[in-house]
Amino acid sequence: MIDPDQVQDPNYAFKHQHLLGLTDYSADDIRFILDQTTSFREILDRPVPKIPTLRDKTIVNLFYENSTRTRISFELAQKRMGADVLNFSALASSTKKGESLKDTIRNIESMKIDMVVVRHESPGAAHFLARIVDANIINAGDGAHEHPTQALLDMFSMKQRLGQIKGLKVAIIGDILHSRVVRSNIIGLTKLGAEVVLCGPKTFMPVFVEDLNVKVTYNLEEALAWCDVAMALRIQLERQEQGLFPSLREYHERFGIKMDHLEKYPNFVIMHPGPINRGVEMESDVADSDRAIILNQVTNGLAVRMAVLYLLSGGSRV
Ligand code: CP
């Protein structure tokens, strides 16, 4: 059987210098990265899961916001590939003395670096760096804009569990308005032919939702009855202070995935980018159930990041 998620252009070649978002990537670019990720996933299952293809590269992980999964998996990916790795944390740097992002990156670049992985609270921070330095830039999350490697690992995890992306029904539930994960997932999933439904409180829906090529429901039962994948998004607790929902208890009541839902709708799998608020986005038992693939997402994140680093550094095919 032909796999609809395989690269379709027989003359396809990966030609990107940066990964700033999935907006600039074609469907075949995404398919190619997912295909290469399969090879890196196999390497990770070997007794010695190393491939020293970045031996001559120096990579800086430039993190202005907190992170557990993304920062650690990028660092591990870089080390598994033999790179020299430098970790920059804004909290322990001269940023605290007022140094700008521009000056910070110019100084770091003077030390001869090859790649930068950046997480920043400002949308467009990765694009800004790409304009002022020669190094490859990878966006590890910029404000509420994009988080491309998260969407790639999400798509890889869906394909691994459910066979193909094309035609898949994906419900994304929660704080749509403030989520960079949802933005990158909508772009990637719709390019590969999946259907996306957004579900959450009206106050969490962007006004431009009609332009996104997705459907919307405010009814969780309707979304769960329809979907193959239910992806819950983290509720940022400070949104309650902004009056965007009345209480965590009420949010959980209306939009939290519960064990009863798993019995009632026996087919959908559960995803979450992390970190989870247990008892808010889903009951704790739901997160730990065999319907959840949340920890597989984390494992696959390592393989996706290896594939992205490899391709941007000039690798053609593993
Ligand atoms: N999914 C994700 O971006 O998690 P971290 O914030 O821990 O990196």
Side-chain angles (χ1 to χ4, degrees), residues 136-151:
N136 306 100
I137 306 294
I138 302 175
N139 183 359
D142 60 332
H145 180 223
E146 279 225 41
H147 192 350
T149 56
Q150 179 68 45

mmCIF file of all heavy atoms in Angstrom, residues 136-151:
data_model
loop_
_atom_site.group_PDB
_atom_site.id
_atom_site.type_symbol
_atom_site.label_atom_id
_atom_site.label_comp_id
_atom_site.label_asym_id
_atom_site.label_seq_id
_atom_site.Cartn_x
_atom_site.Cartn_y
_atom_site.Cartn_z
ATOM 1 N N ASN A 136 22.951 28.487 11.681
ATOM 2 C CA ASN A 136 21.607 27.915 11.515
ATOM 3 C C ASN A 136 20.796 28.241 12.782
ATOM 4 O O ASN A 136 21.299 28.055 13.891
ATOM 5 C CB ASN A 136 21.651 26.388 11.387
ATOM 6 C CG ASN A 136 22.576 25.915 10.301
ATOM 7 O OD1 ASN A 136 23.686 25.511 10.574
ATOM 8 N ND2 ASN A 136 22.113 25.982 9.071
ATOM 9 N N ILE A 137 19.556 28.675 12.597
ATOM 10 C CA ILE A 137 18.692 28.998 13.753
ATOM 11 C C ILE A 137 17.541 27.990 13.812
ATOM 12 O O ILE A 137 16.869 27.734 12.799
ATOM 13 C CB ILE A 137 18.091 30.423 13.624
ATOM 14 C CG1 ILE A 137 19.198 31.476 13.407
ATOM 15 C CG2 ILE A 137 17.231 30.746 14.846
ATOM 16 C CD1 ILE A 137 20.147 31.668 14.559
ATOM 17 N N ILE A 138 17.321 27.440 14.994
ATOM 18 C CA ILE A 138 16.171 26.543 15.212
ATOM 19 C C ILE A 138 15.287 27.173 16.280
ATOM 20 O O ILE A 138 15.755 27.487 17.381
ATOM 21 C CB ILE A 138 16.630 25.143 15.668
ATOM 22 C CG1 ILE A 138 17.569 24.523 14.626
ATOM 23 C CG2 ILE A 138 15.422 24.251 15.917
ATOM 24 C CD1 ILE A 138 18.165 23.191 15.053
ATOM 25 N N ASN A 139 14.019 27.344 15.941
ATOM 26 C CA ASN A 139 13.051 27.930 16.875
ATOM 27 C C ASN A 139 12.566 26.847 17.847
ATOM 28 O O ASN A 139 11.926 25.878 17.441
ATOM 29 C CB ASN A 139 11.878 28.503 16.066
ATOM 30 C CG ASN A 139 10.856 29.201 16.935
ATOM 31 O OD1 ASN A 139 11.001 29.255 18.156
ATOM 32 N ND2 ASN A 139 9.822 29.735 16.297
ATOM 33 N N ALA A 140 12.857 27.043 19.119
ATOM 34 C CA ALA A 140 12.396 26.098 20.159
ATOM 35 C C ALA A 140 11.203 26.679 20.909
ATOM 36 O O ALA A 140 10.934 26.280 22.047
ATOM 37 C CB ALA A 140 13.543 25.797 21.124
ATOM 38 N N GLY A 141 10.484 27.610 20.268
ATOM 39 C CA GLY A 141 9.309 28.233 20.877
ATOM 40 C C GLY A 141 9.498 29.723 20.998
ATOM 41 O O GLY A 141 10.369 30.156 21.744
ATOM 42 N N ASP A 142 8.682 30.510 20.253
ATOM 43 C CA ASP A 142 8.775 31.977 20.342
ATOM 44 C C ASP A 142 7.408 32.538 20.673
ATOM 45 O O ASP A 142 6.529 32.652 19.833
ATOM 46 C CB ASP A 142 9.351 32.579 19.044
ATOM 47 C CG ASP A 142 8.539 32.293 17.797
ATOM 48 O OD1 ASP A 142 7.848 31.255 17.743
ATOM 49 O OD2 ASP A 142 8.578 33.119 16.869
ATOM 50 N N GLY A 143 7.234 32.913 21.954
ATOM 51 C CA GLY A 143 5.958 33.453 22.402
ATOM 52 C C GLY A 143 4.818 32.539 22.019
ATOM 53 O O GLY A 143 4.924 31.319 22.134
ATOM 54 N N ALA A 144 3.713 33.134 21.558
ATOM 55 C CA ALA A 144 2.556 32.339 21.140
ATOM 56 C C ALA A 144 2.593 32.090 19.634
ATOM 57 O O ALA A 144 1.568 31.804 19.021
ATOM 58 C CB ALA A 144 1.272 33.068 21.516
ATOM 59 N N HIS A 145 3.777 32.164 19.025
ATOM 60 C CA HIS A 145 3.877 32.087 17.567
ATOM 61 C C HIS A 145 4.003 30.657 17.064
ATOM 62 O O HIS A 145 3.051 30.069 16.549
ATOM 63 C CB HIS A 145 5.050 32.972 17.104
ATOM 64 C CG HIS A 145 5.254 32.968 15.639
ATOM 65 N ND1 HIS A 145 6.498 32.889 15.068
ATOM 66 C CD2 HIS A 145 4.371 33.017 14.623
ATOM 67 C CE1 HIS A 145 6.363 32.909 13.758
ATOM 68 N NE2 HIS A 145 5.088 32.989 13.464
ATOM 69 N N GLU A 146 5.212 30.047 17.216
ATOM 70 C CA GLU A 146 5.413 28.678 16.691
ATOM 71 C C GLU A 146 6.315 27.867 17.608
ATOM 72 O O GLU A 146 7.141 28.421 18.352
ATOM 73 C CB GLU A 146 6.012 28.719 15.282
ATOM 74 C CG GLU A 146 4.987 28.974 14.179
ATOM 75 C CD GLU A 146 5.163 28.055 12.971
ATOM 76 O OE1 GLU A 146 5.444 26.847 13.150
ATOM 77 O OE2 GLU A 146 5.030 28.556 11.843
ATOM 78 N N HIS A 147 6.172 26.559 17.533
ATOM 79 C CA HIS A 147 7.038 25.604 18.237
ATOM 80 C C HIS A 147 7.186 24.404 17.276
ATOM 81 O O HIS A 147 6.585 23.346 17.474
ATOM 82 C CB HIS A 147 6.380 25.200 19.554
ATOM 83 C CG HIS A 147 7.270 24.455 20.509
ATOM 84 N ND1 HIS A 147 8.526 23.967 20.172
ATOM 85 C CD2 HIS A 147 7.065 24.086 21.803
ATOM 86 C CE1 HIS A 147 9.046 23.354 21.225
ATOM 87 N NE2 HIS A 147 8.186 23.416 22.218
ATOM 88 N N PRO A 148 7.970 24.623 16.198
ATOM 89 C CA PRO A 148 7.924 23.642 15.105
ATOM 90 C C PRO A 148 8.381 22.234 15.471
ATOM 91 O O PRO A 148 7.793 21.257 14.995
ATOM 92 C CB PRO A 148 8.838 24.263 14.040
ATOM 93 C CG PRO A 148 9.660 25.295 14.739
ATOM 94 C CD PRO A 148 8.831 25.787 15.877
ATOM 95 N N THR A 149 9.425 22.100 16.315
ATOM 96 C CA THR A 149 9.868 20.721 16.614
ATOM 97 C C THR A 149 8.831 19.990 17.474
ATOM 98 O O THR A 149 8.740 18.762 17.421
ATOM 99 C CB THR A 149 11.263 20.673 17.282
ATOM 100 O OG1 THR A 149 11.268 21.478 18.465
ATOM 101 C CG2 THR A 149 12.348 21.149 16.329
ATOM 102 N N GLN A 150 8.039 20.740 18.263
ATOM 103 C CA GLN A 150 6.964 20.087 19.025
ATOM 104 C C GLN A 150 5.926 19.512 18.058
ATOM 105 O O GLN A 150 5.493 18.368 18.208
ATOM 106 C CB GLN A 150 6.308 21.092 19.979
ATOM 107 C CG GLN A 150 5.154 20.497 20.791
ATOM 108 C CD GLN A 150 5.609 19.460 21.813
ATOM 109 O OE1 GLN A 150 6.590 19.680 22.514
ATOM 110 N NE2 GLN A 150 4.902 18.329 21.900
ATOM 111 N N ALA A 151 5.540 20.298 17.054
ATOM 112 C CA ALA A 151 4.538 19.804 16.098
ATOM 113 C C ALA A 151 5.089 18.622 15.305
ATOM 114 O O ALA A 151 4.362 17.658 15.027
ATOM 115 C CB ALA A 151 4.113 20.933 15.155
#
